[in-house]
Amino acid sequence: MNQATTVSSTAPTLHGHLAKEWCGKLLPLQVLQSQRGYFVGTADEEGPSRESNEYFRTDELARQALQDGNWTQKQEP
């Protein structure tokens, strides 16, 4: 008998809005780092892109913001 893995519908799949709207790419959101700090963004072979308006002082703060949805989406690149 085949068994299927059930994925909880309460766990959202988070993808970058700007990556999809401006580049046509469906890329997962992740925590990235630049000289200004940590941010919520996407990345692929062409490089990183910031999705959050905010920069965070630490990796941990950025990860918590991503997990909790406590960050603001940029509307334009």
Side-chain angles (χ1 to χ4, degrees), residues 24-56:
K25 296 180 179 182
L26 193 60
L27 301 173
L29 290 173
Q30 56 186 302
V31 172
L32 301 167
Q33 183 181 17
S34 73
Q35 291 181 340
R36 294 195 62 190
Y38 296 89
F39 61 93
V40 175
T42 60
D44 65 5
E45 64 279 348
E46 295 180 30
S49 177
R50 185 166 57 100
E51 295 270 342
S52 65
N53 282 313
E54 302 85 1
Y55 284 97
F56 301 90

Side-chain angles (χ1 to χ4, degrees), residues 41 47 59:
D59 176 74

